[in-house]
Amino acid sequence: VTFLQRCVQLLLLPIHVLACLGLWDSSYKKVFPHIMSKVASMYNRKVYKQKQELFSNLRQFTSPSGQLTLLEIGTGTGTNFQFYPPGCRLICTDPNPNFRKFLLKSLSENQHLKLERSVVASGEDLHQIPDGAADVVVCTLVLCSVTDVPRVLREVLRVLRLGGAFYFLEHVAADHSSWTYFWQKVCDPAWKYFGDGCSLSRETQEELEKMNFSELNLRRIHVTPYWIPTSPHIIGYAVK
């Protein structure tokens, strides 16, 4: 694995130099939303039934006032909007402001939702969101690219009201004895550059199990095609 990683790193040397000079991230963050607007729609078709099932009980966490306030971390292009119930009040966060025009487009196509506010913020620092402000927090394909998963999960617990729920769908590390995991480790150096910091081998399930959730409902699935390094996923929700 180490030898192949070094080969990949050698091929990526020009990009690595640009990254060290601070030129790669600034440029790629402008391009990445355009890529994701295409990729997200294809991915949604693959996991449509799983997402539909995952979000089917969102209403269960409506606040006593009868209003459901949903905070989405790493909203991106708004690919999850179609699965949220009518009248849901949205708080959207994303560290990349270049997603905004795609976000607005998705909102115009999902007028059953009401945008309460949109914040440029990373999942590790949601200080603009008050404690207990959300009934539900959603995070899909985000924990793979954050710099500090435990810190994000601590922020999730902070902004959730007691009894609220955290919904997740994330690609994760494969079984360590599998060929998929072998290729995940080999491809990781390149994937991080082209996936805007995304890691293929995050042990996200372990991090969730360490957090102080009162209930954790989680299962592992595979997304087709099964041979790609992002195929292993975890899906579910956790209750504060």
Side-chain angles (χ1 to χ4, degrees):
V1 171
T2 302
F3 171 74
L4 290 174
Q5 282 181 330
R6 294 289 182 266
C7 292
V8 172
Q9 288 169 343
L10 184 62
L11 292 171
L12 295 172
L13 186 59
I15 294 176
H16 182 67
V17 172
L18 289 173
C20 290
L21 294 172
L23 300 175
W24 177 258
D25 280 354
S26 58
S27 300
Y28 194 67
K29 284 188 183 301
K30 295 177 182 177
V31 176
F32 189 60
H34 293 272
I35 296 172
M36 288 307 298
S37 67
K38 305 296 182 185
V39 173
S41 60
M42 292 188 291
Y43 177 81
N44 246 13
R45 287 194 291 272
K46 291 182 180 181
V47 297
Y48 184 85
K49 289 183 179 178
Q50 291 91 335
K51 280 192 175 184
Q52 197 173 42
E53 181 184 353
L54 173 66
F55 296 125
S56 64
N57 69 337
L58 280 174
R59 282 290 187 196
Q60 178 181 326
F61 298 100
T62 299
S63 68
S65 67
Q67 180 65 59
L68 179 66
T69 300
L70 186 153
L71 165 66
E72 183 165 356
I73 298 174
T75 309
T77 61
T79 186
N80 292 323
F81 289 173
Q82 62 182 297
F83 301 100
Y84 298 158
C88 178
R89 297 175 65 181
L90 287 176
I91 304 173
C92 297
T93 72
D94 200 287
N96 189 344
N98 297 297
F99 272 111
R100 182 164 179 79
K101 71 175 183 179
F102 298 99
L103 171 68
L104 293 176
K105 181 176 183 293
S106 289
L107 284 169
S108 69
E109 295 168 352
N110 292 276
Q111 296 189 13
H112 63 290
L113 306 175
K114 179 183 178 182
L115 180 65
E116 189 169 284
R117 62 187 300 199
S118 179
V119 179
V120 177
S122 68
E124 292 90 342
D125 184 10
L126 300 173
H127 70 272
Q128 298 176 68
I129 312 299
D131 295 3
D135 301 304
V136 168
V137 175
V138 172
C139 190
T140 61
L141 302 186
V142 171
L143 295 178
C144 57
S145 58
V146 300
T147 57
D148 190 334
V149 175
R151 188 175 173 186
V152 173
L153 294 178
R154 287 194 294 271
E155 281 288 81
V156 167
L157 281 167
R158 182 185 65 79
V159 301
L160 269 178
R161 66 166 176 82
L162 187 62
F166 172 54
Y167 285 72
F168 53 86
L169 172 61
E170 299 285 341
H171 69 80
V172 294
D175 183 277
H176 288 201
S177 63
S178 66
W179 277 107
T180 302
Y181 184 73
F182 174 84
W183 287 113
Q184 283 179 333
K185 300 301 289 185
V186 170
C187 296
D188 245 346
W191 206 269
K192 288 177 181 178
Y193 283 124
F194 296 105
D196 199 20
C198 177
S199 172
L200 290 166
S201 53
R202 286 273 168 92
E203 304 284 355
T204 308
Q205 179 172 343
E206 292 183 7
E207 299 296 344
L208 282 164
E209 290 170 347
K210 292 176 187 176
M211 300 308 294
N212 192 29
F213 288 106
S214 65
E215 179 186 339
L216 177 60
N217 301 279
L218 179 150
R219 63 188 177 96
R220 297 181 71 93
I221 62 171
H222 283 79
V223 175
T224 56
Y226 300 126
W227 54 266
I228 63 172
T230 56
S231 178
H233 278 55
I234 57 170
I235 184 171
Y237 67 94
V239 180
K240 178 177 176 178

